[in-house]
Structures are given as C-alpha cells and as structure tokens.
Amino acid sequence: KRVLAVEASRLAYFLKQIVDRNVPGGAVEVRECLAEELRLSEGEEADVIISEWMGYFLLFENMLPSVLSVRDRYLKPGGLILPSRCRLLAAPIED
C-alpha cells in the first residue's frame, strides 16, 4: 500500500522535501497536478480519499467538483471519502 498526495500549488515542492525526510521507503508519492489531471495506472483504485475541499462557508473555493472527479474515476466500491459530510449552520441577524 502507498499514499498518493496530490497538490496543485507550488507547496508540492515543499511537501516532497518533508516526505523525503520523514517517510521511509517511498510509501508516500507526491504529485504536483490538479486533481482533475491525476492519472493512475490502469485498474488502480483508491481505498480512501482524504481532501481539504472546504473553503470559507464550505463552498467558496469550489474544490468539491475536483474531489468528486477523483471519486468518480478512482474510488473503489465501498471506499471512503474523508471528510464525508459537513454541516453549515446559519442564523438570521438584523442590524
């Protein structure tokens, strides 16, 4: 088993350095690409997808479509997406 880390920004460079210094044996692979551009080997599937897709008010960074794209292409039947749910609470105010 292995961990595949996908990061679209330049932070992937620093993540690779941290992984190289702290994770033995190549158990973590870092790829610098958009989630939509991720390509796995034929037939390769994920057991778990962990993503920080929530922007402020849960929606404003619009990352959910990216996570759903990876889910639809690579998540095994019965696999997990974490976090799997969230809740948005709102209260009306008057000024």
Side-chain angles (χ1 to χ4, degrees):
K1 301 283 180 181
R2 68 186 172 116
V3 173
L4 180 61
V6 178
E7 174 57 53
S9 75
R10 185 72 178 130
L11 288 175
Y13 170 79
F14 299 104
L15 178 56
K16 287 177 187 178
Q17 290 182 341
I18 293 168
V19 166
D20 289 344
R21 291 184 182 151
N22 293 285
V23 180
V28 176
E29 177 185 345
V30 178
R31 294 194 192 173
E32 186 174 349
C33 66
L34 295 171
E36 296 85 354
E37 296 171 353
L38 177 66
R39 299 291 176 256
L40 300 180
S41 301
E42 184 70 32
E44 190 173 8
E45 295 181 309
D47 296 312
V48 179
I49 296 172
I50 301 172
S51 177
E52 184 277 308
W53 57 267
M54 296 143 298
Y56 57 96
F57 285 123
L58 296 179
L59 304 172
F60 285 110
E61 289 180 24
N62 201 27
M63 290 295 300
L64 186 57
S66 298
V67 175
L68 297 179
S69 167
V70 172
R71 177 202 66 187
D72 293 345
R73 291 181 293 139
Y74 299 120
L75 188 62
K76 283 183 181 179
L80 296 174
I81 296 181
L82 300 174
S84 62
R85 69 181 90 178
C86 56
R87 189 167 74 177
L88 178 64
L89 302 174
I93 62 168
E94 184 177 330
D95 185 20

